[in-house]
């Protein structure tokens, strides 16, 4: 028999290092006044449950199962053999190689594991098989409980065409559009013209922003049809598409519903999900600043009406688009646990995974609509292994060389499925974690999030901490003036990182100079060595030259105990810290203002990278003499990138549209790269003749790999 803290089905069991740390990551934010989740040990559900997923959502389900006394079985691909969810589960079985089609989507292999481990129930998490009616049917045929709705509801709501018709019949507000399946690109253009541009082309079986394109004219409709159908086939095994009117500048607000098998259904308030890139959510919060009680109730009642119309039983989410006049339109229903469910848990006190398991076992809901509160405010940031300076986030891969979650910050919850040493690969979603903060009001929750982001240590891969921090402190976001177009409107030329004010620039320069001097002083100390200096050093001041961005700044530093007095731009700043240079986090106080910084890297030539206010800044710190001599050093010529095409991200080459000798025009598609199931068209930067092609369809490429050369 497997026991908690051990792993591997059918193999040798050994207690894992860091087990207590892994278990402690689940953090209930607060005990709510109306009620909080109760785990009744006498309420029998299942003895053993298999999680048909990976990463943070698998870990999330395991945590609740442990509280309910349910043994867990993890499945994994060969590259996930040492993943956190594998270590947390009581048993773990490999279901195939890395590609999802051969592992996490491999129904035959998963069914065999269910039989072998005698799991009584399966929680699918989100993505993968979570909304696959065939998987739910196969489980039912073998007497295994699917933790989710029945196959009828999955079929009805999982198909966007059918769900829209059902929503209309249930008197739910819907978006104007074509209610059938679009056959080809020509029909797509005809339908788009009839509806009127702009239109949204989307996968009928889709979700998570995959298989979605906005088209503003005929050409974009044809291109959108091609890419959306390919992405839909790759992600869902179903290339059917639908077209509907695109509502410009809307908010994306969703209602969490919970229903049982006894005809009871509740709406658990809303989640604001308007901050998006490429139709994927980045920042979510509950409740929304935009909804008044009447609109909230109307949306909730329509969501429940739809759930009852399909006899829904489990947790589910009804998504709406809301215009500036608070008119709302049904978008889709996700028949699964939503990625952003933690913010709802924070303001209601409910454990949605527990509720799903209870409902699946046949228990009625324990609460009525009048019981559901809005207690405080919760904000969630999706922390991704992505480079936010490339299209608001292109995937990054690598090993987490250093990783430290900000759990020491009060009212912080981190849902993650990784740890220090974990690999972020090209095969799966690049999410590192979901960072959630809670407060008695929105301002408090946002302040906690700002602090948590500053204290989050992630090394080894690019990440989007800088973008997340800039979003939550932006005046428009703070005021609640947001829409799904927030990112392109606020950053029309792309995200460039935090723009330093003059005061912040001086603070960064003073901190960097103080850090440099503190390190110089430390290097002069020899512990346990009877070395006697020839001449005792009494140096207490330094003249430095600091290069930041396009500027070179003279900085004077003098030491006073553990503090430094730093002169920048003719102004003196007092910098104090414990100067623990071995710590990844450094708390620094500059003229009474506390900042948490991270020194990311440094080298012998004085170059250093410091994370300050969320953004990583590259500086070079030299003594005055070294700065004078550096003027004579030759500079490396920049590479001419107009004649070459490099991959902006790691991924797989889906198609190559040119060959040597072809003439291409500026903006013409050269090839298509797929990364984390999103397809990206690579285009020519100038008009010219193709000199060489260094890739072919099916090749795996890394970031900055050379793809095509022009003459």
């Amino acid at each position: 028999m497997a026991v908690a803290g051990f792993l591997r089905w059918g193999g040798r069991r050994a207690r894992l290092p860091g087990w207590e740390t892994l278990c402690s990551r689940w953090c209930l934010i607060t005990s709510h006044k109306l009620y909080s989740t109760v785990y009744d040990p006498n309420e029998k559900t299942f003895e053993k449950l298999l999680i048909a997923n990976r990463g943070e959502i698998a870990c999330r389900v395991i945590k609740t199962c442990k509280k309910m006394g349910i043994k867990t079985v993890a499945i994994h691909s060969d590259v996930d053999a040492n993943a956190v969810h594998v270590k947390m589960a009581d048993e773990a079985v490999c279901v195939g190689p890395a590609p999802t089609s051969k592992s996490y989507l491999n129904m035959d292999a998963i069914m065999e594991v269910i039989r072998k481990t005698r799991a009584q129930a399966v929680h699918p998490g989100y993505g993968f098989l979570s909304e696959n009616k065939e998987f739910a049917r196969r489980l039912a045929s073998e007497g295994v409980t699917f933790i989710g709705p029945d196959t009828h509801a999955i079929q009805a709501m999982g198909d966007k065409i059918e769900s829209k018709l059902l929503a209309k019949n249930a008197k739910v507000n819907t978006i104007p559009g074509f209610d059938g399946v679009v056959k080809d690109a020509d029909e797509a253009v005809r339908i788009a013209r009839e509806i009127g541009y702009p239109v949204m082309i989307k996968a009928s079986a889709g979700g998570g922003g995959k298989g979605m394109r906005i088209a503003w004219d005929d050409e974009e409709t044809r291109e959108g049809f091609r890419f959306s159908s390919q992405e839909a086939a790759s992600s869902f095994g179903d290339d059917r598409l639908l077209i509907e009117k695109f509502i410009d500048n809307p908010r994306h607000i969703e209602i969490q519903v919970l229903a049982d098998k006894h005809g009871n259904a509740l709406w658990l308030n809303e989640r604001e999900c308007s901050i998006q890139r490429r139709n994927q959510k980045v920042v979510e919060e509950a409740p929304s600043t935009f909804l008044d009680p009447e609109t909230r109730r109307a949306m909730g009642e329509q969501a429940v009406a739809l759930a009852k119309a399909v006899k829904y039983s489990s947790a589910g989410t009804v998504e709406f688009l809301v215009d500036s006049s608070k008119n709302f339109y049904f978008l889709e229903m996700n028949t699964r646990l939503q990625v952003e469910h933690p913010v709802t848990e924070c303001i209601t006190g409910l454990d949605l995974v527990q509720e799903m398991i209870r409902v699946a076992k046949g228990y009625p809901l324990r609460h009525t609509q009048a019981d559901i509160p809005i207690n405080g405010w919760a904000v969630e940031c999706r922390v991704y292994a992505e480079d936010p300076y490339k299209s608001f986030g292109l995937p990054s891969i690598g090993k987490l060389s250093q990783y430290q979650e900000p759990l020491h910050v009060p009212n912080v919850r981190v849902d993650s499925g990784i740890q220090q040493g974990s690999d972020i690969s090209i095969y799966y979603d690049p999410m590192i974690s979901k960072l959630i903060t809670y407060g008695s009001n929105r301002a408090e929750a946002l302040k906690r999030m700002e602090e948590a982001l500053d204290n989050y240590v992630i090394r080894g891969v690019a990440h989007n901490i800088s973008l997340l921090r800039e979003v939550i402190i932006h005046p428009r976001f703070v005021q609640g003036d947001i829409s799904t177009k927030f990112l392109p409107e606020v950053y029309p030329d792309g995200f460039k990182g935090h723009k330093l004010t003059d005061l912040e620039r001086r603070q960064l320069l003073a901190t960097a100079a103080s850090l440099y001097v503190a390190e110089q002083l430390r290097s002069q100390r020899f512990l346990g060595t009877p070395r006697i200096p020839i001449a005792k050093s009494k140096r207490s001041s330094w003249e430095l030259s600091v290069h930041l961005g396009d500027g070179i700044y003279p900085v004077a530093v003098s030491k006073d105990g553990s503090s430094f007095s730093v002169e920048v731009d003719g102004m003196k700043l007092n910098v104090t810290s414990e100067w623990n240079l071995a710590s990844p986090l450094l708390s620094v106080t500059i003229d009474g203002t506390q900042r948490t910084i991270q020194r990311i890297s440094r080298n012998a030539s004085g170059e250093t990278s410091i994370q300050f206010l969320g953004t990583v800044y590259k500086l070079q710190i030299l003594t005055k003499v070294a700065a004078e001599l550096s003027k004579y050093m030759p500079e490396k010529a920049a590479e001419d990138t107009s004649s070459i095409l490099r991959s902006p991200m790691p991924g797989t080459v889906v198609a190559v549209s040119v060959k040597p000798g072809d003439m291409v025009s500026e903006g013409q598609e050269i090839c298509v790269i797929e990364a984390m199931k999103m397809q990206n068209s690579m285009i020519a930067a100038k008009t010219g003749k193709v000199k060489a092609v260094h890739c072919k369809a099916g090749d795996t490429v890394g970031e900055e790999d050379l793809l095509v050369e022009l003459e």
Side-chain angles (χ1 to χ4, degrees), residues 302-587:
Q302 287 198 16
V304 165
L306 180 59
K308 288 185 173 181
V310 293
K311 298 180 179 178
Y312 194 85
S313 60
S314 191
T317 298
V318 181
E319 300 190 350
F320 293 94
L321 290 181
V322 185
D323 67 19
S324 57
S325 301
K326 292 189 173 68
N327 298 308
F328 56 91
Y329 305 93
F330 171 72
L331 186 61
E332 63 183 2
M333 182 176 188
N334 291 315
T335 58
R336 53 169 167 80
L337 189 65
Q338 201 83 328
V339 176
E340 57 274 15
H341 74 274
V343 292
T344 296
E345 294 182 326
C346 287
I347 67 167
T348 62
L350 292 176
D351 180 337
L352 292 181
V353 174
Q354 182 200 24
E355 297 299 332
M356 293 177 76
I357 293 173
R358 291 187 72 259
V359 167
K361 187 62 178 176
Y363 290 109
L365 298 180
R366 296 175 291 181
H367 307 292
T368 65
Q369 191 63 57
D371 295 329
I372 306 303
I374 298 180
N375 281 338
W377 211 284
V379 180
E380 174 180 290
C381 285
R382 298 193 189 187
V383 182
Y384 283 103
E386 292 182 337
D387 184 348
Y389 301 96
K390 296 179 179 179
S391 302
F392 299 112
L394 292 184
S396 171
I397 62 172
K399 184 183 291 291
L400 288 169
S401 57
Q402 196 167 14
Y403 183 74
Q404 183 176 306
E405 294 174 348
L407 293 174
H408 60 284
V409 179
N411 289 348
V412 167
R413 166 177 165 178
V414 183
D415 282 16
S416 66
I418 48 88
Q419 61 184 352
Q420 189 163 301
S422 293
D423 286 307
I424 307 296
S425 75
I426 65 171
Y427 297 106
Y428 311 118
D429 188 273
M431 182 186 286
I432 292 174
S433 73
K434 299 180 308 197
L435 179 62
I436 306 103
T437 57
Y438 174 83
S440 58
N441 53 50
R442 189 171 186 258
E444 185 180 320
L446 289 177
K447 189 64 181 175
R448 284 275 183 258
M449 181 60 74
E450 186 179 340
E451 185 180 357
L453 289 168
D454 283 343
N455 282 271
Y456 207 148
V457 178
I458 304 170
R459 309 281 170 82
V461 296
H463 56 76
N464 66 334
I465 294 287
S466 55
L467 174 63
L468 297 173
R469 195 183 189 283
E470 285 302 292
V471 168
I472 65 162
I473 67 170
H474 194 279
R476 273 189 55 181
F477 183 85
V478 172
Q479 294 164 12
D481 178 18
I482 60 177
S483 73
T484 56
K485 297 175 72 175
F486 178 89
L487 288 179
E489 285 179 352
V490 172
Y491 309 107
D493 299 320
F495 180 66
K496 308 295 184 185
H498 181 73
K499 186 176 181 181
L500 295 168
T501 64
D502 286 342
L503 174 60
E504 291 168 347
R505 175 180 55 81
R506 287 193 293 270
Q507 289 179 341
L508 175 57
L509 291 170
T511 301
S514 299
L515 194 57
Y516 173 85
V517 172
E519 191 160 48
Q520 294 297 308
L521 292 173
R522 186 183 70 167
S523 67
Q524 296 172 11
R525 294 196 299 268
F526 297 88
L527 300 181
T529 303
R531 177 177 297 196
I532 300 173
I534 296 174
K536 190 173 181 180
S537 174
K538 292 184 179 180
R539 187 174 184 184
S540 60
S541 62
W542 294 259
E543 289 189 5
L544 305 174
S545 175
V546 184
H547 189 173
L548 171 64
D550 296 328
I552 298 176
Y553 305 91
V555 178
V557 182
S558 58
K559 190 175 186 303
D560 182 14
S562 62
S563 300
F564 294 101
S565 178
V566 186
E567 185 173 336
V568 183
D569 295 343
M571 301 180 66
K572 285 194 174 182
L573 295 89
N574 183 260
V575 184
T576 61
S577 175
E578 293 183 359
W579 304 113
N580 181 0
L581 304 182
S583 172
L585 295 170
L586 196 63
S587 178

